[in-house]
Amino acid sequence: MVLNYIWICLLLIAVIVSIVNWLVTGSVDVLSAVMQSMFDSAKSGFEISIGLTGVLALWLGILKIGERGGAVSSLAKFSAPFFSKLFPEVPQNHPVMGSIFMNISANMLGLDNAATPMGLKAMKELQELNHNSERASNAMVMFLVLNTSGLTLIPITVMSYRAQFGAANPTDVFLPILIATYTSSLVGLVATAISQKINLFQPVIIGTLGVLTALVVGMVVLFSNMEPESVKVWSSVITALLLFAIIVSFIIVGMVRKINVYEAFVDGAKDGFKTAVGIIPYLIAILVAIGMFRASGAMGLFADGCAWLFGALGCNTDFVDAIPTALMKPLSGSGARGMMLSTMETLGPDAFATKVACTIQGATDTTFYILAVYFGSVGITKTRNALPLGLLADLAGIVAAILVSYVFFH
């Protein structure tokens, strides 16, 4: 229901701003741009879905091997002490715990292509436990918020873009991103737990969050003492090794348990194809609205308004060129990436606003995209408070990204 109102608002604002621009300038260029964005966004949504087909088929095939071989069940038992507290509605040691664990682990390592199939599988399993097939359960809301907050320990993509643009130190955003994304995830977790009346002062939760905090602090200390090139190399190596280990271990466990590994992979791949086709309408709907909103000039007006407001309040406005990235991030991952690259190209890779934009890009995930794809894949239409909680986590990550950038770069 919330997505319905947001979708209508984006379309109406885009139409109104387009008409006002047409009346003021007397040019139909804006109207033409908005209409073109409709077709381009629809095409993009279809291409993204088709592009996901291969990835979904691959990873759901691997997951099916892990499921039949018992590896996923082992992960579920390993993560159960913590996740059973955050997802009290889910039966203890249920296989979905393993899928959730793998999805969050993949997100932490920046493995977007692996995280999405695992997340969609987890959502499907949560839907099987849902008593109302159209309304999101508490477990679904918690899972979505944990996804949209986008905890990423190794932001390889952002560092790679900075290297491509010739930044003096491509990895200098590593630590700011780590701090900002952890802030986003922690705020999202706490806010959702409070809304669902989950007691966060349980030993398991406090202990796990303590270990995770220690891990983040340890990475800050470790990587801050490394040479920039070493940071990039070790980040890539760790990610590749862990990804390779998951695939190999699932296959080996399957062979040891004497399951038909090939048949399991094919069955999982079939599920991946069905899932990819199922999300096409939802993805096209949200991308068309966002594309029209951006093409109409509404995004630019909002960014200019924010810049004027911060200036009027007497705040330092050196970061305002990163505002378009911040505004686009919850709406569209590719749009936010485009804004970041545009800032990088215009101001240079080592400008302060560019570093802020890069930190924001790695601080959180794309809330509207994730809600549309994940809820759309299982037919959920009543998303409850998943969107406001996800946006709260986004806001925390963006604010933290700006503040920490001033500490590290200004």
Side-chain angles (χ1 to χ4, degrees):
M1 188 64 70
V2 175
L3 280 178
N4 174 54
Y5 293 136
I6 295 292
W7 190 73
I8 292 174
C9 287
L10 288 174
L11 292 178
L12 287 177
I13 292 172
V15 170
I16 292 171
V17 173
S18 300
I19 293 174
V20 170
N21 280 335
W22 172 43
L23 294 176
V24 172
T25 64
S27 173
V28 297
D29 289 345
V30 174
L31 295 179
S32 298
V34 171
M35 293 302 297
Q36 185 61 44
S37 73
M38 290 177 59
F39 298 110
D40 291 343
S41 298
K43 180 181 178 182
S44 177
F46 180 76
E47 290 175 347
I48 290 173
S49 300
I50 295 302
L52 278 174
T53 303
V55 176
L56 285 169
L58 169 65
W59 281 105
L60 290 186
I62 295 294
L63 285 172
K64 184 64 72 174
I65 295 174
E67 184 180 297
R68 293 184 181 176
V72 173
S73 297
S74 298
L75 288 173
K77 293 177 181 178
F78 171 77
S79 59
F82 176 64
F83 285 133
S84 63
K85 306 301 181 183
L86 295 183
F87 302 91
E89 297 177 350
V90 178
Q92 195 165 9
N93 295 329
H94 190 281
V96 70
M97 294 296 190
S99 300
I100 292 173
F101 176 79
M102 292 184 64
N103 167 260
I104 293 176
S105 299
N107 275 324
M108 291 171 65
L109 295 172
L111 304 174
D112 296 337
N113 287 342
T116 300
M118 295 172 184
L120 291 173
K121 180 173 177 58
M123 185 60 68
K124 181 180 179 181
E125 291 169 340
L126 288 174
Q127 178 69 327
E128 292 172 356
L129 298 172
N130 191 9
H131 299 299
N132 187 335
S133 61
E134 295 183 355
R135 187 174 185 268
S137 64
N138 282 343
M140 287 179 169
V141 172
M142 174 64 80
F143 179 61
L144 262 293
V145 174
L146 291 178
N147 264 270
T148 60
S149 61
L151 178 59
T152 304
L153 300 182
I154 306 179
I156 291 178
T157 303
V158 175
M159 294 190 295
S160 298
Y161 280 127
R162 287 183 54 73
Q164 290 174 17
F165 274 80
N169 182 1
T171 62
D172 58 3
V173 297
F174 181 89
L175 298 181
I177 288 176
L178 185 60
I179 295 170
T181 188
Y182 183 65
T183 301
S184 173
S185 297
L186 189 60
V187 170
L189 172 61
V190 171
T192 307
I194 291 173
S195 73
Q196 296 182 1
K197 296 181 173 57
I198 296 174
N199 179 17
L200 290 173
F201 296 100
Q202 301 178 69
V204 173
I205 295 179
I206 293 176
T208 303
L209 292 180
V211 170
L212 187 57
T213 301
L215 175 62
V216 171
V217 172
M219 291 184 67
V220 169
V221 174
L222 175 64
F223 285 104
S224 63
N225 294 318
M226 277 189 180
E227 293 295 326
E229 189 60 32
S230 297
V231 173
K232 183 179 179 182
V233 170
W234 277 105
S235 299
S236 300
V237 169
I238 292 172
T239 301
L241 286 176
L242 288 174
L243 185 62
F244 184 72
I246 291 173
I247 296 174
V248 172
S249 61
F250 276 25
I251 293 175
I252 290 176
V253 170
M255 293 173 63
V256 170
R257 295 291 179 86
K258 297 181 180 180
I259 68 167
N260 189 324
V261 176
Y262 175 77
E263 183 179 299
F265 179 86
V266 171
D267 289 343
K270 290 178 181 178
D271 292 338
F273 180 80
K274 293 176 183 177
T275 301
V277 172
I279 66 176
I280 290 177
Y282 301 93
L283 190 56
I284 289 178
I286 196 67
L287 290 182
V288 166
I290 292 169
M292 292 177 64
F293 182 78
R294 182 181 178 185
S296 68
M299 178 67 72
L301 290 174
F302 195 71
D304 292 341
C306 290
W308 174 86
L309 177 62
F310 287 116
L313 293 174
C315 300
N316 183 290
T317 56
D318 291 346
F319 73 95
V320 296
D321 287 314
I323 287 179
T325 302
L327 295 176
M328 184 58 71
K329 185 61 181 177
L331 299 172
S332 168
S334 60
R337 183 170 60 250
M339 293 293 186
M340 178 191 71
L341 296 177
S342 176
T343 304
M344 199 177 296
E345 187 174 11
T346 302
L347 302 179
D350 293 315
F352 175 70
T354 298
K355 292 182 179 181
V356 176
C358 291
T359 305
I360 290 172
Q361 177 69 9
T364 184
D365 216 323
T366 313
T367 298
F368 284 89
Y369 173 87
I370 291 176
L371 260 67
V373 171
Y374 280 38
F375 280 142
S377 68
V378 293
I380 292 292
T381 56
K382 299 175 182 178
T383 60
R384 298 175 57 204
N385 58 351
L387 180 58
L389 288 170
L391 292 178
L392 176 62
D394 290 343
L395 178 62
I398 291 169
V399 171
I402 294 172
L403 294 178
V404 78
S405 294
Y406 273 95
V407 174
F408 277 82
F409 307 127
H410 204 268

